[in-house]
Amino acid sequence: NDELISSDAIEGMVQESVSGGSAVKMEVIDFLNDGAMPGAASCLPVLAVRDDVIELSDTGVFLSGKLQTILPAYETGGLLAVLGQLSGAAYALQNENAQVSLRIGDTKAKLIPDARQPWALTVQISLEADIVAYDIAGVYGKEEGLDNAALSTALAQVVYSQAQAAVEQSLHRYGCDIFGFAARLCAGDASLRGMLQEDPTATGDIEVRLDVQAQVNHVGGELTPFLS
């Protein structure tokens, strides 16, 4: 298909994907300014065509203006969770007998430096999700309805795995700090910034711990069961 896509249409797709929790929010000025912190990297949504459908789900990771790797949709979800930008994302939790569709609501992420290890921090992620469709048979169901506690635990585990994969691929494998970890650590210790100026690759050695808490809620009105 040789049809051209206007810049306005692309911008609209990006904004829609950002609002839907499937694309990273990154302004061009942010992309250009990321080099101000030694070792910092930047990222941009990737426009792709799959089966004649244009979509934004992957994320390009750049260091010194050069593309280092592309995070697929799964890792992009983890990146968005660490950045606190996962609101609007859709999740489906399922096993062989049950499926529940969720929409992520409020999402918060906080970077907490380790007081005892200067090059380590904890990412605290908290999020809420609403149930939008369900099949209550199986592990997520109880006689009185859906088991929100089990759903909350399952969602937290999925988001944890996504965030872990994003950190592993971008930070530890390619040395690209697209999360702002180094900036947060250096803000409390000027000597760390000096260390980074001497060796920007030290960002790849940051020890990252993840703490994910999720709360799944029912919404008002009738839920829509999946059709069998």
Side-chain angles (χ1 to χ4, degrees):
N1 192 335
D2 295 329
E3 183 179 353
L4 296 178
I5 305 172
S6 69
S7 59
D8 288 342
I10 293 175
E11 182 179 359
M13 290 174 58
V14 171
Q15 293 303 323
E16 182 178 350
S17 297
V18 168
S19 300
S22 62
V24 65
K25 181 180 181 180
M26 174 67 71
E27 304 292 341
V28 174
I29 188 64
D30 297 327
F31 179 81
L32 296 175
N33 286 339
D34 266 355
M37 169 62 66
S42 54
C43 54
L44 290 172
V46 175
L47 183 69
V49 179
R50 296 185 175 94
D51 297 326
D52 293 329
V53 176
I54 300 173
E55 60 181 29
L56 284 161
S57 60
D58 301 343
T59 303
V61 178
F62 298 82
L63 186 62
S64 300
K66 297 181 180 179
L67 180 65
Q68 302 297 309
T69 185
I70 293 179
L71 301 181
Y74 184 83
E75 284 81 357
T76 293
L79 167 63
L80 294 172
V82 173
L83 296 178
Q85 298 180 12
L86 200 58
S87 299
Y91 278 77
L93 302 178
Q94 61 184 7
N95 65 5
E96 63 274 11
N97 298 316
Q99 180 167 325
V100 177
S101 180
L102 306 172
R103 182 73 64 183
I104 304 297
D106 187 40
T107 305
K108 297 178 181 178
K110 185 176 182 181
L111 307 182
I112 304 175
D114 191 312
R116 294 172 294 180
Q117 293 179 268
W119 211 228
L121 53 71
T122 297
V123 184
Q124 286 188 345
I125 301 170
S126 61
L127 53 91
E128 295 186 7
D130 294 328
I131 301 169
V132 295
Y134 71 99
D135 171 0
I136 65 172
V139 70
Y140 299 128
K142 300 191 302 184
E143 288 184 1
E144 63 271 25
L146 293 169
D147 185 346
N148 282 23
L151 284 170
S152 298
T153 298
L155 177 61
Q157 291 172 341
V158 171
V159 174
Y160 179 96
S161 296
Q162 287 182 288
Q164 187 177 50
V167 170
E168 175 62 28
Q169 180 171 343
S170 179
L171 186 71
H172 294 149
R173 186 176 303 174
Y174 289 93
C176 296
D177 181 14
I178 54 177
F179 311 94
F181 295 154
R184 179 66 183 90
L185 292 171
C186 291
D189 190 337
S191 66
L192 294 178
R193 187 181 182 93
M195 178 193 71
L196 268 184
Q197 288 175 332
E198 293 182 4
D199 181 15
T201 64
T203 53
D205 298 325
I206 297 174
E207 183 177 342
V208 181
R209 306 180 187 96
L210 299 169
D211 178 13
V212 182
Q213 303 293 325
Q215 176 63 53
V216 173
N217 306 308
H218 288 287
V219 294
E222 293 294 324
L223 297 175
T224 304
F226 282 102
L227 297 178
S228 57

